[in-house]
Amino acid sequence: AQSVTQLDSHVSVSEGTPVLLRCNYSSSYSPSLFWYVQHPNKGLQLLLKYTSAATLVKGINGFEAEFKKSETSFHLTKPSAHMSDAAEYFCVVNAQGGKLIFGQGTELSVKP
Amino acid sequence: DAMVIQNPRYQVTQFGKPVTLSCSQTLNHNVMYWYQQKSSQAPKLLFHYYDKDFNNEADTPDNFQSRRPNTSFCFLDIRSPGLGDAAMYLCATSRVKGSTDTQYFGPGTRLTVL
């Protein structure tokens, strides 16, 4: 069975400092992994996607994530936070049959 | 731009009064999904259509129904809304149901039950 654990329910950073949102997964086969972002009262927007090609995945808005099979991790990073990055972030694994398994979400706050 | 559209963005209904939420897509995707998202929680899949094939999640209440009259449109019907059904309802689409396929989400409809 597949599962996703986001290790922090809330992360707070200052504008201009690096962002690290942590995600661990469990899967019996090579998974497809996604990061989605959700701003208040909005739908989910795809940030990036890993599908067994390059282990370092670049996404939109300067975000990237590295797939580490040995650590079963898929952490999301950004070198420099912007105020507009404040949102909820979901790490997601795509189970067989296309069903998405969501992490619990991490709320990112960005302080001026 | 190809996209997933949900109407209305905000819906207010009364306890027990049927309500219908609408989703349309211009992506020509085969699969359409409905999720329920309550405050500070991850989205929860209610059901999905693969073409005309309806797939209900085991724990979706009978109060929730769906219709897909054509490829572009999908509706969520709540027959007798209760206070616990107040939530954000998200529609998503994907080309097929493969494990590498991306689901594209609409902006959501926030449902309030009075």
Side-chain angles (χ1 to χ4, degrees):
Chain A
Q2 291 79 35
S3 67
V4 177
T5 301
Q6 291 182 242
L7 299 170
D8 306 292
S9 59
H10 186 261
V11 170
S12 182
V13 300
S14 297
E15 191 174 21
T17 64
V19 175
L20 170 63
L21 305 183
R22 298 182 296 163
C23 173
N24 287 118
Y25 71 91
S26 172
S27 178
S28 55
Y29 61 94
S30 184
S32 293
L33 291 159
F34 306 78
W35 276 99
Y36 284 89
V37 60
Q38 186 177 32
H39 288 91
N41 285 311
K42 297 289 179 64
L44 276 69
Q45 181 184 17
L46 180 68
L47 278 178
L48 50 79
K49 166 182 174 180
Y50 167 78
T51 58
S52 75
T55 56
L56 183 61
V57 183
K58 293 189 183 298
I60 62 170
N61 300 335
F63 284 95
E64 62 181 39
E66 186 171 8
F67 175 75
K68 291 187 176 180
K69 187 175 180 179
S70 60
E71 299 176 10
T72 61
S73 69
F74 190 57
H75 301 335
L76 181 71
T77 60
K78 182 173 180 177
S80 176
H82 191 272
M83 295 297 291
S84 61
D85 294 328
E88 187 86 14
Y89 291 79
F90 291 98
C91 181
V92 182
V93 63
N94 192 333
Q96 287 182 319
K99 184 170 182 176
L100 297 185
I101 308 298
F102 286 83
Q104 302 90 324
T106 298
E107 183 182 358
L108 175 65
S109 300
V110 182
K111 297 175 290 186
Chain B
D1 288 343
M3 55 197 302
V4 182
I5 302 159
Q6 291 188 245
N7 286 304
R9 294 294 315 281
Y10 298 89
Q11 176 73 57
V12 180
T13 190
Q14 291 181 333
F15 183 94
K17 184 175 181 180
V19 65
T20 295
L21 309 183
S22 170
C23 176
S24 63
Q25 53 129 343
T26 61
L27 297 160
N28 202 33
H29 281 173
N30 294 299
V31 193
M32 296 186 77
Y33 308 81
W34 279 104
Y35 290 85
Q36 178 192 64
Q37 185 181 26
K38 296 190 174 179
S39 182
S40 301
Q41 296 183 20
K44 177 180 180 297
L45 182 64
L46 294 173
F47 28 57
H48 72 275
Y49 272 96
Y50 193 144
D51 290 333
K52 296 181 180 180
D53 184 24
F54 178 70
N55 298 270
N56 201 28
E57 293 297 299
D59 57 354
T60 298
D62 292 340
N63 199 25
F64 292 86
Q65 306 280 318
S66 186
R67 297 170 282 135
R68 189 178 185 186
N70 54 52
T71 301
S72 300
F73 284 86
C74 195
F75 300 98
L76 170 62
D77 300 308
I78 308 176
R79 292 193 296 186
S80 182
L83 298 179
D85 296 328
M88 174 76 91
Y89 289 88
L90 297 166
C91 175
T93 74
S94 65
R95 189 180 58 84
V96 291
K97 288 202 303 184
S99 60
T100 60
D101 273 275
T102 299
Q103 289 190 22
Y104 296 91
F105 286 80
T109 295
R110 181 161 299 281
L111 178 67
T112 300
V113 182
L114 301 177

